[in-house]
Amino acid sequence: MSVRRTMGSAEWTMLITLSLLWGGSFFFNGVAVKALPPLTLVFLRVALAALTLNAVLILRGTPLPLDRRIWAAFFGMGLLNNVVPFTLIVWGQTHIASGVASILNATTPLFAVIAAHLFLADEKMSANRVLGVLAGFSGVILMIGPSALTGATVNLWAQCAVLGAAISYSFAGIFGRRFKAMGVSPLATATGQVTASAILLAPIAAFIDMPWRLAFPAPDVWLSVAGIALLSTALAYILYFRILSSAGATNIALVTFLIPVSAILLGALFLGERLMPRHFGGLALIAIGLAAIDGRPVKVVRRWVTARGEDPEAFKGRDI
């Protein structure tokens, strides 16, 4: 199946749906974290998602590989892509709004550019990427605001925790490149990582949270747990890989722009959250930074100049 550079209506529908699913994870966290401690919530998320995705693989007749080397990679990926970032985000959302968390999480591509420059020979920094990173981090500074200069507040640490999750995601993107070389399919990779994450978290959550001592959660909490596991994790992974196969990695990166929008709207409509102007200003700067990194605005202008019959040589040498 060939990759389409320009997405059609089907790809755009799936992309918007994926942004709602991933943006909804911040909403589900905001509901469930009021009754469940972070580690228990994250364990339930990955465990239910693992059961669902393993069932999908069994129905397709493609069980997980048993190679020890692959499973070691599953555990590494699960740690970087699920255990660490999920836990940091959930803990962060005990102190900051889901919309703020989603905006901070949108910095993942900024950290990915830096990590790729440091650890990958084929993805070095370029001028537009440097400018994009600077614009994005200016947005982060604007969002965090004066709290960073007035001492270590709980909200500041919560925001730093979500940024730590974004850093973990960026390293997961680099680590995950090995699965293609290992011959592991994307769906098997998703299933293996959440399965490994559940195995890692089970003893930790039991020891630290002792969930059997908790009061039995209300129905809305269980619905949120089911939503974050089945919709924002299992279904989202399946949808993600379908878009990836038809539209490619560059197009699917657009979801980063859309996730904060859905998270902010859900938080405002159902959780009564309100964001300050600096949060929206920070989001705008992050969006500008991501656009510069992606290079789409330059591509659009270049096509427009070429269509007018003008000389596009001014664009020569640009990394687009």
Side-chain angles (χ1 to χ4, degrees):
M1 184 177 181
S2 61
V3 171
R4 299 175 59 176
R5 290 181 177 272
T6 302
M7 291 191 294
S9 58
E11 283 84 7
W12 274 109
T13 300
M14 288 192 291
L15 191 77
I16 294 171
T17 303
L18 181 61
S19 74
L20 291 172
L21 293 174
W22 277 345
S25 69
F26 294 92
F27 165 72
F28 292 133
N29 281 337
V31 175
V33 79
K34 296 175 182 177
L36 294 172
L39 287 172
T40 297
L41 176 55
V42 175
F43 167 71
L44 291 173
R45 174 179 183 175
V46 295
L48 289 175
L51 290 173
T52 304
L53 290 174
N54 273 286
V56 171
L57 282 181
I58 292 171
L59 290 173
R60 292 178 54 151
T62 55
L64 284 174
L66 299 177
D67 186 275
R68 291 183 180 180
R69 186 172 56 94
I70 293 176
W71 270 97
F74 281 158
F75 277 100
M77 189 67 175
L79 189 68
L80 290 171
N81 206 39
N82 297 147
V83 176
V84 172
F86 287 178
T87 303
L88 288 175
I89 288 172
V90 171
W91 180 81
Q93 283 193 248
T94 62
H95 302 288
I96 60 176
S98 59
V100 175
S102 70
I103 295 172
L104 290 169
N105 187 63
T107 60
T108 297
L110 306 178
F111 291 112
V113 168
I114 297 172
H117 176 78
L118 293 175
F119 297 104
L120 298 176
D122 58 345
E123 294 193 32
K124 295 302 181 182
M125 280 274 198
S126 58
N128 59 299
R129 289 190 171 193
V130 171
L131 292 174
V133 168
L134 292 175
F137 283 119
S138 298
V140 172
I141 293 170
L142 176 62
M143 280 189 59
I144 293 176
S147 61
L149 303 175
T150 57
T153 65
V154 175
N155 282 358
L156 174 60
W157 285 116
Q159 293 178 84
C160 289
V162 179
L163 289 175
I167 294 172
S168 187
Y169 280 135
S170 69
F171 282 104
I174 294 174
F175 187 90
R177 287 173 47 144
R178 68 194 61 207
F179 291 104
K180 184 176 181 180
M182 290 178 172
V184 184
S185 71
L187 182 56
T189 299
T191 306
Q193 71 170 4
V194 292
T195 302
S197 300
I199 295 171
L200 285 171
L201 277 168
I204 300 173
F207 179 76
I208 295 178
D209 291 345
M210 291 185 282
W212 55 87
R213 295 187 176 182
L214 300 173
F216 194 78
D220 63 327
V221 175
W222 285 116
L223 288 174
S224 295
V225 170
I228 198 172
L230 303 179
L231 300 178
S232 300
T233 308
L235 179 58
Y237 271 132
I238 295 172
L239 198 58
Y240 171 85
F241 290 120
R242 286 196 61 182
I243 303 171
L244 190 63
S245 65
S246 64
T250 302
N251 282 321
I252 203 171
L254 286 172
V255 76
T256 306
F257 295 90
L258 302 175
I259 290 173
V261 177
S262 57
I264 290 169
L265 289 175
L266 288 170
L269 290 173
F270 298 104
L271 299 178
E273 296 176 350
R274 294 292 181 269
L275 301 185
M276 291 183 282
R278 62 184 173 87
H279 294 136
F280 293 102
L283 175 60
L285 284 172
I286 291 170
I288 291 171
L290 293 176
I293 289 170
D294 182 61
R296 286 171 190 267
V298 177
K299 293 177 184 178
V300 170
V301 172
R302 185 174 185 177
R303 284 196 295 266
W304 180 78
V305 169
T306 303
R308 286 171 58 90
E310 298 175 12
D311 185 7
E313 286 299 310
F315 292 90
K316 202 174 236 184
R318 301 270 186 93
D319 178 18
I320 58 172

